[in-house]
Amino acid sequence: MKITLSVIKADIGGWVGHCGMHPDLIAEGEASLAKAKKSGLLIDYHVTRCGDDLQFIMTHKQGTDDKTVHELAWNTFTSCTSVAKKLKLHGAGQDLLADAFSGNVKGQGPGVAEMELEEREAEAVIVYMADKTASGAWNLPLYSIFCDPFNTIGLVIAANMHKGFKFEVHDVKESKRIFFNCPEEMYDMLILIGAPSRYSVKAVYSRQTGEIASSSSTQKLSLIAGRYVGKDDPVCIVRAQGIFPAVGEVLEPFARPHIVEGWMRGSHHGPLMPVAVRESTPTRFDGPPRVIAAGFQLADGKLVGPVDMFDDPAFNNARQQALDMADMLRRHGPFEPHRLPLAEMEYTTMPQVKRKLQRRFEKI
Ligand code: F6R
Ligand code: MG
Ligand code: MG
């Protein structure tokens, strides 16, 4: 049975500041998606949040980039924005960059990760959702999951993974894409995806069957808006078990927190801390950046779940490491490498500040 899994997210108002999600927004989102389920458009849905980002996880039979499903998400974000405005939440409607829906929410502000899949006898999926970071944050974990035998032992000892995986990499600034067959083209791929501010892993495919293994949101808010309007706070879907890495192999990269861009004012480097949904409220210096993982088994499109995958003491050390990394970086205050390098600061609010100084520069 062919099912489409769509994860569409937006920051449409924070509680308090840019930290958390008001329950009324979740309730509004649930009410709207419940109607769409009743009407038969959606098979199932789950509404959740990571930090101040509202996430719609939806299953249907419409395929990816479907106008009706995208319009549903857009209209639901719009009605949630009205609730946010009433409560005077911070940044109400922030990520809805267009005045009206124009056929596809991509390019209009919300982040989108979708995949159409033939549901297997048992279909395990993990949906990753992050706050206070940029698209590209999934590059390192996706590389670990699908290319690194030190992370995924299945690449070595499971016969059905030996052929490896194919990666679709997007140049988000030039709007170009390139495919890499891994493991043999890993080194070529790393030269690009090691620079996640420019190159994002969009999707991964099994080379055993050609089936899709992973799909990420790669939208960059600053490139869409042409100015700084908050971070992308991306999402990513990963299928697990069988010809794909096991759930534990899919989660394992997050036991070694890596440094991502984002955090305060979208202008800093900080560790990506794996947390339970209830702990995804980035308060310290508006961070540090968080990632949550919602696990589901699909049953004829029904979302059997979620299991809150990082709500596990096995990730306590990772959280502690992330906090120690956060302390170390915070010590640098406004200095690099805590603050982003100049080229990246061009996409935040820095140009406005710099403009004022332009005339005062003298030749030496
Ligand atoms: C980072 C983020 C926050 C805000 C900061 C200032 O992605 O959302 O760190 O940048 O709180 O917010 P404003 O400009 O809305 O007062
Ligand atoms: Mg926000
Ligand atoms: Mg956010």
Short mmCIF file of all heavy atoms in Angstrom, two decimals, residues 85-110:
data_model
loop_
_atom_site.label_atom_id
_atom_site.label_comp_id
_atom_site.label_asym_id
_atom_site.label_seq_id
_atom_site.Cartn_x
_atom_site.Cartn_y
_atom_site.Cartn_z
N LYS A 85 -1.97 35.29 17.96
CA LYS A 85 -2.13 36.76 18.00
C LYS A 85 -3.01 37.17 19.17
O LYS A 85 -2.74 38.15 19.85
CB LYS A 85 -2.70 37.27 16.68
CG LYS A 85 -1.62 37.36 15.61
CD LYS A 85 -2.11 38.02 14.34
CE LYS A 85 -0.93 38.19 13.37
NZ LYS A 85 -1.35 38.25 11.98
N LYS A 86 -4.05 36.38 19.39
CA LYS A 86 -4.95 36.68 20.51
C LYS A 86 -4.22 36.62 21.84
O LYS A 86 -4.45 37.41 22.74
CB LYS A 86 -6.12 35.68 20.52
CG LYS A 86 -7.44 36.33 20.12
CD LYS A 86 -8.59 35.35 20.17
CE LYS A 86 -9.23 35.26 18.79
NZ LYS A 86 -9.83 33.97 18.49
N LEU A 87 -3.32 35.64 21.94
CA LEU A 87 -2.56 35.47 23.19
C LEU A 87 -1.34 36.39 23.22
O LEU A 87 -0.58 36.38 24.18
CB LEU A 87 -2.10 34.02 23.32
CG LEU A 87 -3.20 32.95 23.47
CD1 LEU A 87 -2.64 31.55 23.28
CD2 LEU A 87 -3.87 33.06 24.83
N LYS A 88 -1.17 37.15 22.13
CA LYS A 88 0.00 38.02 21.95
C LYS A 88 1.30 37.24 22.19
O LYS A 88 2.21 37.70 22.87
CB LYS A 88 -0.09 39.27 22.83
CG LYS A 88 -1.23 40.19 22.41
CD LYS A 88 -1.25 41.50 23.16
CE LYS A 88 -0.19 42.47 22.68
NZ LYS A 88 -0.34 43.81 23.29
N LEU A 89 1.37 36.05 21.63
CA LEU A 89 2.59 35.26 21.72
C LEU A 89 3.68 35.95 20.91
O LEU A 89 3.39 36.76 20.02
CB LEU A 89 2.35 33.84 21.20
CG LEU A 89 1.30 33.04 21.97
CD1 LEU A 89 1.21 31.61 21.43
CD2 LEU A 89 1.59 33.00 23.46
N HIS A 90 4.94 35.58 21.18
CA HIS A 90 6.04 36.27 20.52
C HIS A 90 6.22 35.79 19.09
O HIS A 90 6.30 34.60 18.83
CB HIS A 90 7.34 36.11 21.30
CG HIS A 90 8.42 37.00 20.79
ND1 HIS A 90 8.42 38.36 21.01
CD2 HIS A 90 9.49 36.75 20.01
CE1 HIS A 90 9.46 38.89 20.40
NE2 HIS A 90 10.13 37.93 19.79
N GLY A 91 6.31 36.74 18.17
CA GLY A 91 6.56 36.39 16.76
C GLY A 91 5.39 35.67 16.12
O GLY A 91 5.60 34.75 15.32
N ALA A 92 4.16 36.05 16.46
CA ALA A 92 2.99 35.36 15.90
C ALA A 92 3.00 35.43 14.38
O ALA A 92 3.15 36.51 13.79
CB ALA A 92 1.71 35.97 16.46
N GLY A 93 2.90 34.28 13.74
CA GLY A 93 2.89 34.22 12.27
C GLY A 93 4.26 34.37 11.63
O GLY A 93 4.36 34.48 10.40
N GLN A 94 5.30 34.30 12.44
CA GLN A 94 6.68 34.58 11.99
C GLN A 94 7.08 33.88 10.69
O GLN A 94 7.62 34.50 9.78
CB GLN A 94 7.66 34.19 13.11
CG GLN A 94 9.12 34.29 12.73
CD GLN A 94 10.03 33.71 13.80
OE1 GLN A 94 10.19 34.29 14.86
NE2 GLN A 94 10.64 32.56 13.52
N ASP A 95 6.82 32.58 10.59
CA ASP A 95 7.33 31.82 9.44
C ASP A 95 6.39 31.83 8.22
O ASP A 95 6.73 31.25 7.19
CB ASP A 95 7.58 30.35 9.82
CG ASP A 95 8.85 30.19 10.65
OD1 ASP A 95 9.52 31.20 10.92
OD2 ASP A 95 9.15 29.04 11.04
N LEU A 96 5.23 32.45 8.34
CA LEU A 96 4.34 32.51 7.17
C LEU A 96 4.76 33.74 6.37
O LEU A 96 4.29 34.85 6.62
CB LEU A 96 2.87 32.57 7.60
CG LEU A 96 2.41 31.41 8.51
CD1 LEU A 96 0.92 31.48 8.78
CD2 LEU A 96 2.76 30.05 7.91
N LEU A 97 5.67 33.51 5.42
CA LEU A 97 6.32 34.65 4.75
C LEU A 97 5.50 35.20 3.60
O LEU A 97 5.76 36.29 3.11
CB LEU A 97 7.70 34.23 4.23
CG LEU A 97 8.69 33.73 5.30
CD1 LEU A 97 10.00 33.29 4.65
CD2 LEU A 97 8.96 34.80 6.35
N ALA A 98 4.50 34.45 3.14
CA ALA A 98 3.67 34.94 2.03
C ALA A 98 2.32 35.41 2.58
O ALA A 98 1.91 35.01 3.66
CB ALA A 98 3.47 33.82 1.02
N ASP A 99 1.66 36.26 1.80
CA ASP A 99 0.35 36.76 2.24
C ASP A 99 -0.72 35.69 2.06
O ASP A 99 -1.70 35.65 2.80
CB ASP A 99 -0.05 38.01 1.44
CG ASP A 99 0.91 39.15 1.72
OD1 ASP A 99 1.44 39.18 2.85
OD2 ASP A 99 1.16 39.98 0.81
N ALA A 100 -0.55 34.87 1.04
CA ALA A 100 -1.57 33.86 0.77
C ALA A 100 -0.92 32.59 0.24
O ALA A 100 0.20 32.63 -0.28
CB ALA A 100 -2.56 34.39 -0.27
N PHE A 101 -1.62 31.47 0.35
CA PHE A 101 -1.12 30.19 -0.12
C PHE A 101 -1.03 30.20 -1.64
O PHE A 101 -1.94 30.66 -2.32
CB PHE A 101 -2.06 29.07 0.34
CG PHE A 101 -1.65 27.71 -0.14
CD1 PHE A 101 -0.51 27.10 0.34
CD2 PHE A 101 -2.41 27.03 -1.08
CE1 PHE A 101 -0.12 25.84 -0.09
CE2 PHE A 101 -2.04 25.77 -1.53
CZ PHE A 101 -0.89 25.18 -1.03
N SER A 102 0.09 29.67 -2.17
CA SER A 102 0.23 29.73 -3.62
C SER A 102 0.56 28.36 -4.22
O SER A 102 1.38 28.27 -5.14
CB SER A 102 1.28 30.76 -4.02
OG SER A 102 2.55 30.28 -3.64
N GLY A 103 -0.01 27.31 -3.69
CA GLY A 103 0.12 26.01 -4.34
C GLY A 103 1.03 25.01 -3.66
O GLY A 103 0.86 23.81 -3.81
N ASN A 104 2.03 25.51 -2.90
CA ASN A 104 2.97 24.63 -2.22
C ASN A 104 3.63 25.46 -1.11
O ASN A 104 4.08 26.57 -1.37
CB ASN A 104 4.03 24.15 -3.24
CG ASN A 104 4.89 23.03 -2.68
OD1 ASN A 104 5.46 23.14 -1.61
ND2 ASN A 104 4.97 21.93 -3.42
N VAL A 105 3.68 24.91 0.11
CA VAL A 105 4.23 25.72 1.21
C VAL A 105 5.74 25.89 1.13
O VAL A 105 6.31 26.75 1.79
CB VAL A 105 3.85 25.19 2.62
CG1 VAL A 105 2.39 25.37 2.89
CG2 VAL A 105 4.30 23.75 2.81
N LYS A 106 6.39 25.03 0.31
CA LYS A 106 7.84 25.21 0.11
C LYS A 106 8.06 26.58 -0.50
O LYS A 106 7.39 26.94 -1.46
CB LYS A 106 8.39 24.16 -0.85
CG LYS A 106 8.61 22.81 -0.23
CD LYS A 106 9.19 21.88 -1.28
CE LYS A 106 9.04 20.45 -0.85
NZ LYS A 106 9.19 19.53 -1.98
N GLY A 107 8.98 27.33 0.02
CA GLY A 107 9.21 28.66 -0.54
C GLY A 107 8.31 29.71 0.07
O GLY A 107 8.38 30.88 -0.27
N GLN A 108 7.42 29.27 0.97
CA GLN A 108 6.53 30.26 1.63
C GLN A 108 6.85 30.40 3.12
O GLN A 108 6.18 31.13 3.83
CB GLN A 108 5.08 29.83 1.45
CG GLN A 108 4.65 29.80 -0.02
CD GLN A 108 3.16 30.01 -0.17
OE1 GLN A 108 2.36 29.12 0.12
NE2 GLN A 108 2.77 31.19 -0.60
N GLY A 109 7.87 29.66 3.60
CA GLY A 109 8.26 29.77 5.01
C GLY A 109 8.31 28.45 5.77
O GLY A 109 9.34 28.11 6.35
N PRO A 110 7.21 27.66 5.75
CA PRO A 110 7.24 26.41 6.51
C PRO A 110 8.31 25.43 5.99
O PRO A 110 8.67 25.47 4.81
CB PRO A 110 5.83 25.83 6.30
CG PRO A 110 4.98 27.02 6.04
CD PRO A 110 5.86 27.96 5.25
#
